[in-house]
Amino acid sequence: DAKTTQPPSMDCAEGRAANLPCNHSTISGNEYVYWYRQIHSQGPQYIIHGLKNNETNEMASLIITEDRKSSTLILPHATLRDTAVYYCIVRVNYGGATNKLIFGTGTLLAVQP
Amino acid sequence: SQTIHQWPATLVQPVGSPLSLECTVEGTSNPNLYWYRQAAGRGLQLLFYSVGIGQISSEVPQNLSASRPQDRQFILSSKKLLLSDSGFYLCAWSVRGSLTYNEQFFGPGTRLTVL
C-alpha cells in the first residue's frame, strides 16, 4: 500500500471548516483513499473513502486532486467533538481476505472554542 | 445492527504473567477479524488478522499469539508478558468478500499496562 504524509497537528476554530491535507504521491491506479479518525482513548472510526471522484457523506467531504497524488478531508462545521487524530490511508480494495489497513501517525486536529 | 465487544477495558499485569484478551462480534457472520496495538503516542500497528475459524495471519513477529475458536470470537494471548507489550489493544471486524466496501469497525479497546 502507498505511503501517506500528513501534518502532525492542526488547529481549527469551532464552527469553521477544517481542511485536513494528505499527500500520497506514489498512489497506484487501483488504490483508494480512506479516512478514519480516533478520538482519545477510543477505537478508530471510519469517515469516508474514495477512488478519484470527490465524495460527500453526513460526516465529511473528500476532495481528491485530478492526479490523485493528494487529497483533502473537509469537516464543514467543526465542533469540539471533532477533536481527534485523523488518519489518511491509501489501499487497494481487495475485499475478502487481505482487508488490511496500514495506519500512519495521522493529524491531531484540535478544535478551539 | 452489529456490535463489537472487548474485555477487559483496562488491565494491569506484572512482567512474566500470562495474558488473554477477548473480542466478540454480534450481528454479523463470517467477518474478517483483526488485532491492532497502539503504543503510547504512536499510530496503530496491525498484529493479526483472521478470515475464518482457526485461520490466523501474523503481521509482525512478537511475544503475542491469536486464536479464533469461534466464528465471531477472537482472542489475543501471551504466555509471558514483556514491558514492551504495554499499549492500547484494539479489535476490529470487516465484511468478508466485499469488493467495494471494506470499512473496518473497531471495538472500544483494552488498555494494558505491564509493570
Side-chain angles (χ1 to χ4, degrees), chain B residues 10-91:
Chain B
T10 60
L11 190 61
V12 179
Q13 292 283 97
V15 169
S17 64
L19 173 74
S20 181
L21 303 181
E22 189 163 345
C23 170
T24 59
V25 181
E26 296 178 355
T28 188
S29 298
N30 305 314
N32 292 328
L33 295 172
Y34 312 83
W35 277 112
Y36 290 85
R37 175 172 61 200
Q38 187 171 36
R42 305 189 65 178
L44 279 77
Q45 179 186 37
L46 178 63
L47 302 176
F48 301 95
Y49 71 93
S50 171
V51 300
I53 296 174
Q55 301 180 61
I56 309 295
S57 296
S58 175
E59 287 295 296
V60 293
Q62 62 203 302
N63 183 43
L64 303 169
S65 62
S67 62
R68 184 170 177 175
Q70 300 180 43
D71 180 49
R72 292 171 289 175
Q73 184 184 30
F74 207 21
I75 297 172
L76 185 70
S77 304
S78 174
K79 293 182 179 178
K80 290 186 177 182
L81 283 169
L82 305 173
L83 287 174
S84 57
D85 291 325
S86 292
F88 190 42
Y89 287 83
L90 289 154
C91 181

Side-chain angles (χ1 to χ4, degrees), chain A residues 13-39:
Chain A
E14 188 177 18
R16 305 296 292 268
N19 297 284
L20 294 99
C22 180
N23 288 322
H24 30 80
S25 58
T26 59
I27 193 170
S28 301
N30 60 350
E31 289 185 310
Y32 285 69
V33 180
Y34 279 77
W35 283 84
Y36 280 72
R37 74 179 183 184
Q38 186 177 21
I39 296 170

Side-chain angles (χ1 to χ4, degrees), chain A residues 2 4 20-24 27-36 46-53 55 62-65 68-73 87-93 101, chain B residues 102:
Chain A
T4 62
L20 294 99
C22 180
N23 288 322
H24 30 80
I27 193 170
S28 301
N30 60 350
E31 289 185 310
Y32 285 69
V33 180
Y34 279 77
W35 283 84
Y36 280 72
Y46 165 84
I47 302 173
I48 199 167
H49 76 282
L51 182 61
K52 51 185 175 182
N53 297 321
E55 302 287 345
L62 174 61
I63 308 299
I64 303 174
T65 58
R68 301 203 334 115
K69 292 185 178 182
S70 65
S71 60
T72 301
L73 179 75
Y87 296 99
C88 170
I89 302 162
V90 294
R91 56 151 296 122
V92 176
N93 254 14
L101 296 174
Chain B
N102 52 12

